[in-house]
Every structure is written in structure tokens, then in C-alpha cells.
Amino acid sequence: MKKGYDVRGTSLVPVYPQGYACSPLTSLYASWVDVDGSHRQEIHTGVDGGRLGEWILAPGPGVVKAVWEANWGWGNEGALLLVHKASELNLDDGAPFYYTVYDHLRYDEIKHLQVGQKVPRGMQLARVSRPGGHAKYLPEVHWEVWEADADRLTWTTNRFGGREWRNRSARLIDPLYMLGLHEPPEDDRSVSVVPFDPAADYRTFPGFTYIFDCPKS
């Protein structure tokens, strides 16, 4: 599998488990196609998905790194950043830290989260909303994954007046890469999505489970 460092295409595609009704990803990493089928103005730095009001689940154990009101040009909205240690994800090589970022949330739903708070795999983080909370946009959560050599943030203000984090050691990768580590695809492309199971033992599970609930169909 390719990681797709710095928003390079990986050709990775999700394969959802039979017998489960997983909410699908609607726009993939490094794509120029938005969730509504329109052409993006810039290449996609994560993956989008989710149905309105659906819970977003933590894909692995970690810690709350930042909770803030963001603005990426769609209006004020909630944003959340978790940091995951490689050791917690049963990864022996590569970067020591992984950041997961969740955009287009409702700030009121996440403002109770505290920096430093431990987050177990499968924890309900927030519900899927719309960019800026505006009804004219389709529902989605924008999910990014970053590798980082050091867990240090600085903050700046973007051209929309919103807060924006920086980590000079962090590099974007395709979230599907992290979802495929448990069972690397034989064709280097088809990633088998694993739903979170609260009864499962993840002590040796490498990487991430899916960020949406997958009820049995």
C-alpha cells in the first residue's frame, strides 16, 4: 500500500464488509471530486463521509490534542484533533505519532472535551454535520491523518480568520492506509474496512478501525 505522502494519490479504495450497513466514504484522498460530484478548487487532503447525525467513532486509542472553532471558508464550525502513539496502534516502525483531525463538526458537541483527555478506540466523538453548519452543503465529516515525528503544535490564523494548527514534522497520509494495516490488500489497492466491535480484543490490532458504526444489515 502507498501512504500518499503530502496528498499524492494512492489508488486505495474501501471495501465494506458483507452483512453490514456501513456508511460509505463519499470523497477519497487526493481526489478532485467533491461529495456532491462537483470539481474541487484544490486537491482533497483527507476523506469525507457520513450521514447526517451519525456518530463519528475514534479509530484508535489516543488523547485529545485540540478542540477549537475553525473556519475553512464555509463559516464557523467545530474541529477536533486527536494524537495517537504508534505503540498504542501496535505499530513497530514508522512515525512515533499519528494525528487524526475531524472537521465540519458542531462546536457545541465537542467543547466539553478536554485537552489531554484519553480517548478509547470506538468512543463517540461527535455527530456528522455539514460544513459551517449550513443546510446548503451535504452532510460530511472531513477526516485527515498525519504522521508526525514530534508532538508539538503551533497556531496561526488563516485567511478566513479561523485558527489553524501547524506541526513542522507532520505529513499527510491517506486514512485508508491506516485502515488497511490489519489485513494489507493483496492487490495493494482494496482496503477491507473493519467496523469497531465493542466486544473485540484490540490489544494486537494494528492501525485503525472504521470511524462510522456499521450495524448488521
Side-chain angles (χ1 to χ4, degrees), residues 25 27 29 44-49 56-60 80 82 84 99-104 125 140-146 172-179 208-212:
L25 299 177
S27 184
Y29 184 76
H44 199 207
T45 56
V47 296
D48 294 338
I56 303 157
L57 309 180
L80 172 65
L82 306 180
H84 313 263
Y99 286 172
T100 57
V101 185
Y102 311 84
D103 294 329
H104 309 326
L125 302 175
E140 63 176 276
V141 60
H142 175 80
W143 179 37
E144 292 181 354
V145 176
W146 300 70
L172 274 162
I173 64 173
D174 189 340
L176 283 170
Y177 174 84
M178 296 297 290
L179 288 171
F208 289 157
T209 46
Y210 201 39
I211 63 169
F212 302 121

Side-chain angles (χ1 to χ4, degrees), residues 7-167:
V7 205
R8 294 185 176 92
T10 64
S11 298
L12 296 177
V13 294
V15 178
Y16 304 101
Q18 293 184 355
Y20 291 82
C22 295
S23 183
L25 299 177
T26 50
S27 184
L28 299 181
Y29 184 76
S31 171
W32 286 96
V33 181
D34 208 338
V35 295
D36 60 0
S38 63
H39 185 79
R40 292 181 177 275
Q41 295 181 346
E42 57 186 12
I43 197 166
H44 199 207
T45 56
V47 296
D48 294 338
R51 304 181 181 100
L52 185 64
E54 181 175 24
W55 281 105
I56 303 157
L57 309 180
V63 171
V64 175
K65 186 68 178 178
V67 181
W68 74 104
E69 285 192 272
N71 190 329
W72 311 109
W74 299 278
N76 291 337
E77 61 184 38
L80 172 65
L81 188 156
L82 306 180
V83 58
H84 313 263
K85 293 181 179 179
S87 58
E88 295 175 313
L89 303 174
N90 299 305
L91 303 180
D92 298 326
D93 54 8
F97 302 101
Y98 291 84
Y99 286 172
T100 57
V101 185
Y102 311 84
D103 294 329
H104 309 326
L105 309 178
R106 294 182 59 227
Y107 181 69
D108 284 348
E109 286 195 348
I110 59 172
K111 65 182 182 182
H112 68 282
L113 296 172
Q114 300 295 313
V115 173
Q117 177 179 339
K118 291 186 177 181
V119 174
R121 186 189 299 271
M123 175 178 163
Q124 293 180 337
L125 302 175
R127 289 177 292 184
V128 175
S129 186
R130 304 175 191 265
H134 298 301
K136 64 181 179 180
Y137 297 120
L138 292 175
E140 63 176 276
V141 60
H142 175 80
W143 179 37
E144 292 181 354
V145 176
W146 300 70
E147 282 188 354
D149 291 329
D151 182 24
R152 291 192 294 268
L153 294 186
T154 59
W155 291 87
T156 186
T157 301
N158 64 24
R159 61 192 177 98
F160 304 108
R163 296 177 67 218
E164 193 169 334
W165 64 275
R166 293 283 188 271
N167 180 327

Side-chain angles (χ1 to χ4, degrees), residues 1 12 174-185 190-194 206-208:
M1 289 188 297
L12 296 177
D174 189 340
L176 283 170
Y177 174 84
M178 296 297 290
L179 288 171
L181 289 175
H182 70 287
E183 184 182 339
S190 304
V191 173
S192 297
V193 169
V194 175
F208 289 157

